Amino acid sequence: MDPFKVIKDQFVRQYSNAGLIILTLFGFAAYMSHIGAYDMVIKVLTKPLSTSASRSS
């Protein structure tokens, strides 16, 4: 068996899997942005910050 072919096949397999994962993540992020989930997450995560800032004044 050719060692260079084995290495090439491993690289192709790894990078195609990584590409599929990246594509899926970007699709998920675009969908969440489209339905407004990103704005809701920001609102929920910044709510505790706004209450602690009002207490310190």
Side-chain angles (χ1 to χ4, degrees):
M1 188 175 261
D2 185 18
F4 292 111
K5 182 174 177 359
V6 171
I7 292 171
K8 181 191 139 231
D9 290 344
Q10 284 181 335
F11 276 122
V12 167
R13 199 176 12 232
Q14 271 187 319
Y15 287 123
S16 66
N17 287 339
L20 184 60
I21 290 169
I22 291 170
L23 182 68
T24 304
L25 289 175
F26 276 110
F28 179 75
Y31 175 70
M32 289 295 128
S33 179
H34 177 73
I35 65 171
Y38 177 75
D39 296 329
M40 186 56 69
V41 167
I42 296 299
K43 190 183 295 187
V44 168
L45 292 178
T46 57
K47 190 174 183 179
L49 296 175
S50 66
T51 58
S52 65
S54 64
R55 283 190 214 163
S56 64
S57 348

